[in-house]
Amino acid sequence: PPWPAEPGRPVDRPALIRYARETLGFDPFDVLPLSVPEAGLTGAAFILSEPVNPAARAGHRVYLKRMLLTEHADGLLPDWAFFAHCVVDASELRPTASREALYEDSLLTATREALGDQVRGWLVRLAKHDPRRLGEFLQVHHLGVKALALHDDEMLRLVDQWWPMDTNVGTLTLAEFRQRHGLIRYAASLDEFRQLAAVAAAQDLAVVNGGYTYDTELIERLPAVDRSVLIERLEPSDLTTRFDNLDPQVELALRPFLAAAQRALERTGCEVVIRAYDPVSLPALYLVSRSAAFNDQLAASRDKADELWGGVLDALAASAPPDRPQLVLNHRNPLVRRVSTLTDPDLVGLAVEALYGQALLLGHHPIRAGDAALLNSSFLGLLGRAVPGQE
């Protein structure tokens, strides 16, 4: 074999790379020798240089006492190590009766754990001695590392220090984000981040996008590893508390407009409020708290449920805290200020319905059938007002 037959012997890396190219058919990103003495196992793990599907189980080339058992052995490495392809020779592992796979017993379980530890140790060494190389590896195989970090503290520290995450202030690692902003405020879904990131940035709120695979779970696990880490899930109330209230006289003058706007949107279950906030170009923002989203899901499920489940959902709805989504109109926006001076109640209703529909679309919120009908009627109504004339 091209790897050392005994642990501690020097590794001929060019020979291993040549073996991978000629026998396995690919150029490895890196090669690390493997050794599990209790299983009489020696071999090498070849790190794949191309991304692969994490759900696909990698087959490994296994020899038993120098005789080829299979080229597609399953279960030799932990599931998270899908980025490694192993070639090993073992003297103590047992084959199945068909001699097509390895027999699952306590020795194979211990061997799998030992090999996983060796792959993990390679990652840790890479982080300490060659961060640039680690960055290249993470760009290809970050899913496997993040999956391991869900239950491995050392890997979580590695992800914290080296994996760049999407934020509304640029791409940063979690360690860099903490250093700049202290608190890790995060959006738990991609839609939530899209809805609130730009407005949060305008209010000087830095937010991490936790919507990608494993990111939210990793952020929420960080305080268990480092008690100094402070995390907080982004809530719409975080934004509204930073919006400026209007002068009392201005707010008093806007009461008739707000009453007409509320009547127009009453059927949507939405509360209309007016505040002053940045960016000025944004006329309206639709905010849904987690409790309001839960109430909406209850209502949608109640409409589809039979009598038995309808009673259960009614009981849940009765115990849920009352909370309504908010359409927050931006008084700094010139269009909103002009709309607020309209005296025609019908035109106010059409304009507010149009702003409501635009806020749903810009915030990537789901469009219900009623919302789609309202958006269509407001568009046609405004178009009819804009094109005067007799039919």
Side-chain angles (χ1 to χ4, degrees):
W3 57 82
E6 298 179 6
R9 290 286 188 88
V11 179
D12 188 349
R13 293 179 58 83
L16 286 171
I17 293 173
R18 188 167 56 251
Y19 174 86
R21 185 181 299 122
E22 295 174 355
T23 306
L24 305 179
F26 66 90
D27 290 322
F29 176 86
D30 204 352
V31 179
L32 62 146
L34 301 174
S35 174
V36 184
E38 56 266 34
L41 183 146
T42 59
F46 301 91
I47 309 300
L48 302 175
S49 55
E50 299 291 335
V52 292
N53 183 1
R57 291 182 174 271
H60 306 285
R61 193 180 183 94
V62 175
Y63 294 84
L64 293 183
K65 299 179 180 178
R66 301 292 178 91
M67 295 179 63
L68 180 63
L69 175 69
T70 177
E71 297 181 356
H72 305 286
D74 190 13
L76 188 64
L77 286 182
D79 290 342
W80 56 262
F82 61 86
F83 49 81
H85 183 98
C86 294
V87 181
V88 300
D89 178 46
S91 59
E92 302 300 325
L93 295 179
R94 298 160 53 194
T96 57
S98 63
R99 298 192 66 82
E100 294 178 350
L102 292 170
Y103 182 75
E104 188 70 41
D105 57 8
S106 58
L107 180 58
L108 180 59
T109 300
T111 301
R112 183 186 303 121
E113 293 176 355
L115 294 178
D117 288 342
Q118 292 175 40
V119 175
R120 184 175 69 88
W122 169 78
L123 285 170
V124 174
R125 290 193 300 274
L126 208 60
K128 290 181 179 178
H129 303 298
D130 197 347
R132 181 192 61 81
R133 185 78 167 152
L134 176 67
E136 295 175 357
F137 169 80
L138 289 176
Q139 288 298 324
V140 179
H141 297 301
H142 57 277
L143 280 179
V145 176
K146 290 198 288 185
L148 174 58
L150 291 176
H151 53 82
D152 187 284
D153 293 348
E154 194 68 33
M155 285 298 100
L156 182 58
R157 293 188 183 96
L158 185 147
V159 170
D160 176 44
Q161 291 290 327
W162 300 108
W163 175 241
M165 289 193 176
D166 185 23
T167 80
N168 65 342
V169 290
T171 302
L172 301 170
T173 66
L174 290 176
E176 291 171 335
F177 190 90
R178 289 201 313 277
Q179 186 177 5
R180 296 186 188 183
H181 305 285
L183 173 71
I184 298 180
R185 183 177 281 106
Y186 65 98
S189 70
L190 190 56
D191 284 341
E192 191 175 300
F193 181 79
R194 288 172 175 170
Q195 292 160 15
L196 303 176
V199 181
Q203 317 310 314
D204 294 326
L205 281 178
V207 181
V208 177
N209 181 6
Y212 294 110
T213 306
Y214 303 131
D215 284 358
T216 291
E217 293 90 336
L218 294 176
I219 292 171
E220 292 174 347
R221 216 177 81 79
L222 267 177
V225 176
D226 185 350
R227 293 184 179 180
S228 66
V229 175
L230 300 176
I231 66 171
E232 182 179 281
R233 180 171 174 176
L234 178 67
E235 282 283 354
S237 58
D238 297 332
L239 299 179
T240 54
T241 56
R242 296 197 173 216
F243 293 166
D244 295 332
N245 291 317
L246 306 184
D247 291 336
Q249 292 182 348
V250 175
E251 193 164 358
L252 184 63
L254 289 173
R255 282 187 179 178
F257 164 73
L258 284 175
Q262 187 62 60
R263 285 193 298 271
L265 294 184
E266 195 63 42
R267 54 181 166 159
T268 68
C270 174
E271 179 186 3
V272 182
V273 297
I274 188 163
R275 297 287 187 270
Y277 55 89
D278 292 324
V280 175
S281 59
L282 185 67
L285 180 66
Y286 185 75
L287 297 178
V288 187
S289 66
R290 273 185 279 178
S291 57
F294 176 71
N295 290 337
D296 285 347
Q297 290 174 354
L298 276 181
S301 300
R302 179 65 182 88
D303 293 339
K304 301 176 182 178
D306 57 22
E307 184 176 350
L308 174 62
W309 284 109
V312 174
L313 293 173
D314 287 340
L316 285 174
S319 63
D323 198 357
R324 303 174 72 187
Q326 287 186 330
L327 179 69
V328 187
L329 301 177
N330 186 4
H331 194 257
R332 290 179 184 162
N333 181 267
L335 176 62
V336 171
R337 287 202 299 270
R338 280 162 34 209
V339 169
S340 67
T341 61
L342 296 174
T343 56
D344 184 345
D346 292 336
L347 188 54
V348 168
L350 290 173
V352 172
E353 289 172 353
L355 290 173
Y356 169 80
Q358 187 209 33
L360 289 180
L361 294 173
L362 290 180
H364 302 275
H365 294 280
I367 305 295
R368 300 168 295 186
D371 296 330
L374 181 144
L375 187 59
N376 183 59
S377 63
S378 64
F379 171 75
L380 294 178
L382 289 174
L383 191 59
R385 291 293 192 107
V387 185
Q390 296 181 353
E391 296 184 2

